[in-house]
């Protein structure tokens, strides 16, 4: 088993092993004191893995109940959250009990936010089952729900007590969601690790399983390092947003219905690299994104996307930050006014 210790304000381990789900009950029992837990999952993931996790926890002395909601981003809202709170009341969950997020980033984000807010804080464990959730959203403590006005507008920082990654779960993932996660993996290579980038670039969506364990480990370790330096996202953590300013604009322009998050990030990384970097690095990035069936452009002018960049959470009082990787493995944070960014991108 591989283990990464994340030394944030409340430290925790990320455990990575194939088939670890079957023995997760023992690991959770060794980590937390309470023996009362609620598994929160979506319908797809619960039907695939819910009984394995529940059984393993019950065999290790836990009283477990399950809250399930319909899969998809449209469930990551205040209505689902309110139903979760009601369920936690019915189950008499106390501050020392634990919520177990079993699923992708949607499940992780809403469960984390419930854990941050219910009774002003309960225990919380992440069992991420998408590539994106394993290498990004389950680590680092960002939790949130969406509002009608935009994605992730209400949230809190709440680090989990444990993260359990089983890469076997990725085998049941729809290939589109695997590609989605690969956009984030490629991002880690671009911002911090040329060797990781080259490893990913020498594979493709058909044979990525050969490198998935090493890749997941390395990506999480990069996230660990960044989050340990800047847990509350006031500086260095912004490098994790490489490709995200334009990526969110692509998602938003198409009403979050045409391009997934990973596809948006892929286009965003390609656009910003084309604008600010050498042809050599742009071509390398594009080839790698295409290996994983990710888009590198969208059929809309940059000018039409720019108003959506101005809505990005990473802007503050008329300023915007964006990330440029002029060399593979090295990220630069550039802060500028929204006007200058628009002029640079739009010209
Ligand atoms: P998701 O949670 O919607 O999962 C994608 C789909 O895959 C869902 O339909 C789900 O039911 C299904 N699924 C999950 N695991 C499966 C498995 N093993 N086998 C088969 N199907 C499976 O989406 P996601 O891409 O994991 O996460 C996206 C969310 O993460 C967004 O809401 C985004 O805002 C959030 N996010 C948060 C952070 C953070 O730091 N907190 C970072 C990045 C993204
Ligand atoms: N996903 C970006 C972050 O955790 O900061």
């Amino acid at each position: 088993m591989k283990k990464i210790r994340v030394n944030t304000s409340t430290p925790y381990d990320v455990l990575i092993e194939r088939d670890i789900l079957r023995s997760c009950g023992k690991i959770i029992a060794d980590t937390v004191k309470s023996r009362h837990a609620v598994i929160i999952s979506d319908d797809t993931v619960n039907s695939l893995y819910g009984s394995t996790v529940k059984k393993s926890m019950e065999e290790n002395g836990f009283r477990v109940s399950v809250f399930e909601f319909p899969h998809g981003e449209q469930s990551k809202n205040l209505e689902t959250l309110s139903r979760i709170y009601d369920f936690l009341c019915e189950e008499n969950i106390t501050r020392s009990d634990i919520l177990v997020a079993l699923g992708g980033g949607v499940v992780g984000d809403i469960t984390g936010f419930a854990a941050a807010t219910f009774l002003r804080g309960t225990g919380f464990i992440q069992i991420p089952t998408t590539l994106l959730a394993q290498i990004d959203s389950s680590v680092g403590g960002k939790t949130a729900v969406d509002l009608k006005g935009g994605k992730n507008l209400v949230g809190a920082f709440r680090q989990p007590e444990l993260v359990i990654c089983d890469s076997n779960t990725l085998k049941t993932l729809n290939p589109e969601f695997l590609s989605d996660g690969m956009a984030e993996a490629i991002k880690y290579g671009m911002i911090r690790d040329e060797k990781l980038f080259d490893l990913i670039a020498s594979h493709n969506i058909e044979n990525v399983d050969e490198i998935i364990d090493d890749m997941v480990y390395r990506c999480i370790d990069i996230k660990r390092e960044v989050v340990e330096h800047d847990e509350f996202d006031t500086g260095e953590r912004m490098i994790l947003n490489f490709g995200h300013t334009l990526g969110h604009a692509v998602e938003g322009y198409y009403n979050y219905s045409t391009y997934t998050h990973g596809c948006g990030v892929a286009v965003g990384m390609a656009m910003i690299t084309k604008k600010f970097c050498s042809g050599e690095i742009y071509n390398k990035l594009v080839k790698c994104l295409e290996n994983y069936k990710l888009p590198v452009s969208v059929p809309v002018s940059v000018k039409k996307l720019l108003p959506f960049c101005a809505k990005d959470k990473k802007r503050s009082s008329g300023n915007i930050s964006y990330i440029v990787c002029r060399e593979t493995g090295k990220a630069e944070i550039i802060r500028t006014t929204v006007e200058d960014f628009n002029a640079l991108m739009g010209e």
Side-chain angles (χ1 to χ4, degrees):
M1 186 194 313
K2 289 183 173 165
K3 180 160 109 175
I4 293 174
R5 181 80 173 160
V6 184
N7 278 309
T8 36
S9 48
T10 51
Y12 54 100
D13 289 333
V14 181
L15 305 177
I16 309 157
E17 190 174 61
R18 288 193 186 233
D19 222 19
I20 193 174
L21 237 50
R22 282 178 203 285
S23 51
C24 69
K26 164 92 175 73
I27 298 164
I28 297 172
D30 289 344
T31 307
V32 301
K33 287 200 182 90
S34 166
R35 290 295 177 264
H36 189 188
V38 170
I39 296 174
I40 299 179
S41 192
D42 70 29
D43 51 350
T44 307
V45 180
N46 190 31
S47 69
L48 288 164
Y49 303 108
S51 58
T52 306
V53 173
K54 187 167 187 277
K55 183 166 173 272
S56 177
M57 290 185 72
E58 284 171 347
E59 282 169 359
N60 284 278
F62 284 92
R63 178 154 68 88
V64 186
S65 45
V66 180
F67 181 88
E68 176 190 293
F69 62 82
H71 66 274
E73 186 71 32
Q74 62 281 2
S75 286
K76 203 177 105 177
N77 56 29
L78 293 171
E79 198 191 318
T80 311
L81 182 69
S82 170
R83 291 202 296 118
I84 292 174
Y85 290 146
D86 289 343
F87 188 79
L88 300 179
C89 289
E90 282 161 27
E91 292 296 315
N92 292 316
I93 288 296
T94 67
R95 280 179 166 180
S96 57
D97 297 330
I98 53 163
L99 312 189
V100 178
L102 174 67
V106 165
V107 169
D109 277 12
I110 197 166
T111 305
F113 189 63
T117 48
F118 186 69
L119 306 178
R120 297 199 188 89
T122 67
F124 157 51
I125 285 174
Q126 289 266 20
I127 307 187
T129 61
T130 62
L131 180 59
L132 180 140
Q134 292 188 356
I135 65 175
D136 189 359
S137 60
S138 65
V139 178
K142 281 190 182 175
T143 72
V145 294
D146 303 336
L147 298 183
K148 286 196 184 74
K151 274 185 65 174
N152 297 325
L153 291 186
V154 179
F157 286 97
R158 175 84 183 177
Q159 302 296 340
E161 287 175 39
L162 178 69
V163 182
I164 297 175
C165 290
D166 182 341
S167 39
N168 272 353
T169 60
L170 305 181
K171 289 181 181 161
T172 53
L173 209 52
N174 175 327
E176 277 172 35
F177 289 115
L178 194 62
S179 290
D180 236 33
M182 283 310 301
E184 299 288 353
I186 293 166
K187 174 198 80 180
Y188 285 115
M190 286 292 291
I191 61 170
R192 264 295 156 87
D193 187 340
E194 185 170 22
K195 258 167 79 183
L196 172 68
F197 181 89
D198 291 344
L199 179 73
I200 295 172
S202 63
H203 288 75
N204 57 53
I205 197 71
E206 308 298 335
N207 63 13
V208 67
D209 190 54
E210 290 170 10
I211 57 163
I212 210 120
D213 293 290
D214 288 343
M215 185 188 83
V216 166
Y217 178 87
R218 187 57 196 134
C219 291
I220 295 173
D221 203 42
I222 293 170
K223 179 130 192 197
R224 170 201 63 74
E225 200 191 344
V226 173
V227 166
E228 281 179 357
H229 287 160
D230 179 20
E231 181 174 349
F232 298 106
D233 205 10
T234 57
E236 180 186 338
R237 188 163 177 168
M238 269 177 214
I239 67 169
L240 298 174
N241 287 322
F242 176 47
H244 283 57
T245 302
L246 284 158
H248 287 153
V250 168
E251 286 182 85
Y253 179 84
Y254 288 97
N255 243 326
Y256 298 94
S257 58
T258 310
Y259 291 91
T260 58
H261 179 69
C263 288
V265 169
V267 172
M269 291 191 291
M271 283 175 77
I272 208 97
T273 303
K274 188 174 189 180
K275 189 80 204 171
F276 294 102
C277 305
S278 69
E280 190 191 343
I281 192 157
Y282 172 70
N283 291 337
K284 209 165 119 173
L285 173 63
V286 164
K287 185 174 173 307
C288 185
L289 293 168
E290 287 176 347
N291 280 359
Y292 293 92
K293 301 201 183 318
L294 287 160
V296 296
S297 62
V298 283
V300 59
S301 69
V302 183
K303 280 205 167 118
K304 286 195 173 152
L305 294 177
L306 288 173
F308 291 84
C309 291
K311 292 184 180 172
D312 196 273
K313 283 203 301 305
K314 289 172 294 303
R315 80 194 194 288
S316 61
S317 25
N319 292 318
I320 198 161
S321 296
Y322 61 96
I323 316 302
V324 172
C325 299
R326 292 180 219 271
E327 286 174 52
T328 323
K330 293 209 172 90
E332 252 176 85
I333 302 172
I334 301 177
R335 291 186 181 84
T336 184
T337 61
V338 172
E339 287 74 33
D340 281 355
F341 180 72
N342 288 353
L344 276 170
M345 291 304 300
E347 67 193 12

